Amino acid sequence: MPAEEDRGDISLSLRFHRKAAFAALGIGLGIGLAVWQADRLALRYYLATDAARAETAMRLTINALEGDLARYEVVPQLLADLDAIRHLASEPDNAQRRGQIDALMLARNTMLQSSDIYIMRADGETVAASNQGQPGTFVGQNFRYRPYFHDALQGHPARFYGVGTTSGLRGYFFSAPVRDMQGRIAAVLAVKIGVDRIEAAWRGNEYRVLVTDPEGIVFMSSVPHWLYGATLPRTAERVARTEASRRYADVALHDLPFQRAQIDGVAQVHLPAIGRASGDGAAAGGQFLIAEQVMDEAGWTVHVLLDTAGARMQARVVTITVFLLLCAGLSAVAVLVQRRARIAERLAIEARARDELERRVEERTADLARVNSHLEQEIVERRATEVELRRAQANLVQVGKLAALGQMSAALSHEINQPLAAARNYADSADVLLERGDIGRARQNIGHILSLIDRMAAIGRHLRNAGRKPNEQLAAIQLPALLEETRIIVGGRLAAVGARLEIDLPPGLPPVRAGATRLQQVLVNLITNAADAVEGTEDRRITVSASQQGERVVIRVRDRGPGVPGAIAERIFDPFFTTKPAGNGLGLGLSISYNIIRDFGGQITLRDAHPGAEFNLTLAAARPHEVAA
């Protein structure tokens, strides 16, 4: 009997160890599969997170580029409208005028912090430049092969980016036509801005930024070795288009092979090593996440690359953590199994009880491991989100500063155009009156011109104070006199579209509490917009009416045009938002008017008038002591 019991114990032990071996094999395979799955899911998650960061960085980069370019967009046309420039276009060979314009260009170039400003006559030869007298001056150079020259000579503002054939420096060119004193296009004025300072802002962070032209050539890059590399195959057609415009002058182009792939649902690109790696290893190549978008107006494509090494390292850390947790769990299970084996060899009943206990312990251990893994993952995610939020906030502050500078320059151009056009009408009328010998009425027109000049000076002061609280004293403004003066200012625009201005003011209407210049600025903006709305319609009446409502006065400006669609009514007062075709407006008039009325303590609203649109200005009625003053 003892021998039979020993044989039974040996057989039981063999069966147990055989089952234990199969169990160990299964556990090993399970751990391997779990580790592989954890690595794949972690890598996909971190790649998706980094891809979202790259998209955010791309949008911020595009906003910064657009804001920087917007600062200079209207500069060529403003300079081209100067009388001194127009006189030079009429007499391009006048040496004295050339010297004066060279000095003027140098002063404007220093003030604008641009690269160069120069004027070309109709045959493409440069006759004046801000770099006159300096090595590599543009004077005497011919740029008729540049696209921006041809477009401006046809009467259209133009843009172009490329490498200067004279200076060898990259830049972005803005151009505008210059009309001589007879109104003919006789020259082209160009402003070149450098791009090196933009690249400098991109360096030193984890992102790689490059900008390509429509032919796939890298024009700007945070990695110097990637400059002038072709990301697309250099076909004969692409090479011919590039050489025709001499965009890159004599710079040698090279291939920059983009090996694109879609891995784990994320767009990636592989770049081989090019040249020597810089201090941060940027030129050493590697696998990058890529976010890209076309800037239609500039003709660029912005690419933001983020090295996948960080995401892979984070995924590897998660995988190792999971593996260690599983190994710890397996070790605990192995210890429990060994203890169960020793007990099972002696007491089978007690072994079954222990099996049940160990099964429950394993379930709780697995739950604890999952909870710990989830908590660690949440901690890592929250820390990364906090860092990204702080970085995005800092970048948004810088973008806001650049956008504010662009808005100030565009606002000045928008607001001065209206009194400038009215002054031109008075000047033409004064000329006719002088020819007829009507000196009295000619002097009256000259007085109107001086008044408009004062208005433009007031607009300039207002825009200089745009960044701080205005210091203009509010006073009692009589609407009848102000509207009659406004009718004179907008008379030219109303006559051009055949519109009729109707003013309906009730008797005894109290004065409003406002600033005369800025309130007239708002009325001119609204009436001019109404004239644009009724152009080409059958009913071209524009009605300005007012009524008293308690201690407030409501001024209404109504047109009979197509009205404002409800889908865009909420955005009508946003800066740079306009429904006019490109080139017919900057989208700033209503935004400026909104801020002016708000400074007066009033409000401006839009109402659908069926047909047409009606703007309501609600202002406080002047106090008795203000009226007496």
Side-chain angles (χ1 to χ4, degrees):
M1 291 297 295
E4 290 180 359
E5 289 179 357
D6 290 341
R7 284 196 297 271
D9 291 339
I10 293 174
S11 175
L12 180 61
S13 179
L14 289 175
R15 287 197 302 271
F16 175 79
H17 286 296
R18 189 180 297 113
K19 291 180 180 179
F22 282 116
L25 179 61
I27 291 173
L29 292 175
I31 290 176
L33 180 62
V35 169
W36 173 79
Q37 184 70 6
D39 181 74
R40 189 170 68 88
L41 293 176
L43 180 59
R44 177 179 296 178
Y45 170 79
Y46 286 115
L47 286 176
T49 301
D50 283 357
R53 292 170 52 208
E55 286 285 343
T56 301
M58 177 197 66
R59 289 192 295 270
L60 294 176
T61 301
I62 290 176
N63 289 339
L65 280 172
E66 289 177 342
D68 194 86
L69 295 179
R71 295 173 54 194
Y72 299 93
E73 185 174 9
V74 299
V75 170
Q77 191 60 61
L78 291 176
L79 294 177
D81 289 338
L82 295 176
D83 287 342
I85 303 296
R86 297 182 63 191
H87 280 297
L88 179 63
S90 301
E91 302 176 58
D93 297 324
N94 188 320
Q96 182 179 1
R97 288 193 183 279
R98 284 191 178 190
Q100 293 172 352
I101 298 304
D102 288 338
L104 176 63
M105 295 294 98
L106 178 59
R108 292 296 187 271
N109 191 59
T110 302
M111 180 181 67
L112 295 171
Q113 297 181 345
S114 53
S115 178
D116 298 290
I117 303 176
Y118 51 101
I119 302 173
M120 299 158 284
R121 62 189 185 190
D123 61 357
E125 181 179 348
T126 303
V127 296
S130 60
N131 58 8
Q132 167 65 2
Q134 302 176 12
T137 179
F138 292 170
V139 175
Q141 301 292 329
N142 195 300
F143 300 109
R144 64 183 305 168
Y145 53 85
R146 289 297 199 186
Y148 67 80
F149 174 80
H150 293 288
D151 291 344
L153 205 59
Q154 297 299 320
H156 310 294
R159 295 179 171 205
F160 181 79
Y161 53 94
V163 176
T165 56
T166 301
S167 64
L169 300 177
R170 292 169 298 146
Y172 197 82
F173 300 81
F174 294 91
S175 67
V178 179
R179 299 182 182 272
D180 59 17
M181 300 309 293
Q182 287 73 39
R184 298 169 300 186
I185 297 178
V188 172
L189 186 144
V191 177
K192 176 183 178 182
I193 60 174
V195 298
D196 291 342
R197 56 187 175 79
I198 300 176
E199 286 181 340
W202 293 342
R203 299 192 179 106
N205 58 40
E206 59 182 326
Y207 301 101
R208 312 287 185 265
V209 181
L210 61 149
V211 180
T212 59
D213 66 8
E215 312 303 338
I217 306 298
V218 178
F219 179 69
M220 289 192 291
S221 173
S222 60
V223 181
H225 290 285
W226 291 353
L227 276 176
Y228 309 120
T231 61
L232 298 174
R234 287 193 285 169
T235 62
E237 292 81 3
R238 291 187 176 126
V239 171
R241 286 193 295 267
T242 300
E243 291 178 351
S245 65
R246 297 192 65 187
R247 188 184 301 278
Y248 300 105
D250 298 325
V251 176
L253 305 179
H254 60 273
D255 290 324
L256 185 64
F258 265 37
Q259 301 175 12
R260 297 177 180 270
Q262 195 79 9
I263 303 176
D264 291 328
V266 178
Q268 299 186 34
V269 61
H270 177 75
L271 279 172
I274 298 176
R276 293 185 304 168
S278 60
D280 59 355
Q287 193 77 16
F288 299 89
L289 298 171
I290 183 168
E292 50 195 0
Q293 182 175 326
V294 176
M295 293 176 61
D296 293 328
E297 189 173 9
W300 295 343
T301 301
V302 177
H303 312 262
V304 174
L305 281 65
L306 181 60
D307 199 335
T308 60
R312 297 182 187 280
M313 178 61 70
Q314 290 176 307
R316 193 172 296 118
V317 169
V318 172
T319 302
I320 293 173
T321 302
V322 172
F323 176 75
L324 292 177
L325 290 174
L326 290 175
C327 288
L330 180 61
S331 299
V333 171
V335 170
L336 293 175
V337 169
Q338 184 64 29
R339 290 180 59 189
R340 191 188 68 172
R342 290 197 298 267
I343 296 173
E345 292 176 353
R346 297 185 182 98
L347 299 170
I349 298 175
E350 187 177 351
R352 286 194 296 271
R354 288 186 178 276
D355 287 342
E356 180 64 21
L357 178 60
E358 289 170 359
R359 184 182 65 79
R360 295 178 179 178
V361 171
E362 289 175 3
E363 290 178 353
R364 294 180 180 179
T365 302
D367 291 338
L368 181 60
R370 286 193 298 271
V371 171
N372 287 339
S373 175
H374 182 68
L375 289 176
E376 291 177 359
Q377 186 175 356
E378 283 190 352
I379 292 172
V380 172
E381 291 174 1
R382 290 184 180 181
R383 289 177 177 173
T385 301
E386 182 179 358
V387 171
E388 182 59 24
L389 178 60
R390 291 176 179 173
R391 185 181 296 110
Q393 288 174 341
N395 290 338
L396 285 174
V397 169
Q398 182 64 22
V399 170
K401 292 178 181 178
L402 294 176
L405 292 176
Q407 181 178 357
M408 180 66 71
S409 175
L412 182 60
S413 173
H414 179 275
E415 290 303 319
I416 287 182
N417 276 342
Q418 295 165 349
L420 193 60
R424 177 57 186 268
N425 291 336
Y426 281 125
D428 291 340
S429 178
D431 185 43
V432 173
L433 292 172
L434 288 173
E435 290 181 358
R436 295 176 179 176
D438 193 346
I439 303 300
R441 292 179 62 189
R443 287 179 177 173
Q444 187 178 20
N445 280 13
I446 292 173
H448 288 309
I449 293 173
L450 293 175
S451 175
L452 289 171
I453 291 173
D454 292 339
R455 170 177 166 76
M456 288 187 282
I459 290 173
R461 290 193 300 271
H462 169 59
L463 290 174
R464 286 196 300 272
N465 294 330
R468 60 184 184 271
K469 185 175 181 180
N471 55 10
E472 180 185 14
Q473 292 293 330
L474 302 185
I477 306 300
Q478 297 289 348
L479 286 179
L482 186 69
L483 284 173
E484 286 304 319
E485 187 178 322
T486 303
R487 183 198 294 271
I488 295 174
I489 294 176
V490 300
R493 178 55 185 158
L494 296 176
V497 300
R500 179 160 53 93
L501 180 61
E502 299 176 347
I503 299 178
D504 181 15
L505 299 180
L509 183 69
V512 296
R513 188 170 184 268
T517 300
R518 292 195 292 161
L519 179 56
Q520 187 177 74
Q521 181 181 351
V522 173
L523 292 172
V524 169
N525 280 336
L526 295 180
I527 296 173
T528 304
N529 286 347
D532 293 339
V534 301
E535 183 175 3
T537 62
E538 294 183 1
D539 190 350
R540 303 180 189 178
R541 289 178 299 150
I542 300 172
T543 303
V544 179
S545 60
S547 63
Q548 183 177 4
Q549 296 182 1
E551 295 182 354
R552 291 189 171 267
V553 175
V554 179
I555 307 172
R556 301 176 180 86
V557 179
R558 180 190 175 186
D559 62 69
R560 274 77 174 179
V564 179
I568 64 174
E570 295 181 356
R571 302 177 55 198
I572 200 71
F573 297 107
D574 292 347
F576 298 106
F577 178 82
T578 178
T579 58
K580 299 177 183 178
N584 290 344
L586 298 173
L588 287 170
L590 290 178
S591 175
I592 294 172
S593 300
Y594 178 87
N595 288 312
I596 289 174
I597 297 301
R598 187 178 60 181
D599 289 342
F600 294 161
Q603 64 178 1
I604 178 171
T605 57
L606 171 65
R607 186 181 71 85
D608 192 351
H610 296 295
E614 180 180 278
F615 286 88
N616 293 335
L617 308 180
T618 303
L619 298 171
R623 301 184 181 97
H625 69 276
E626 293 173 333
V627 176

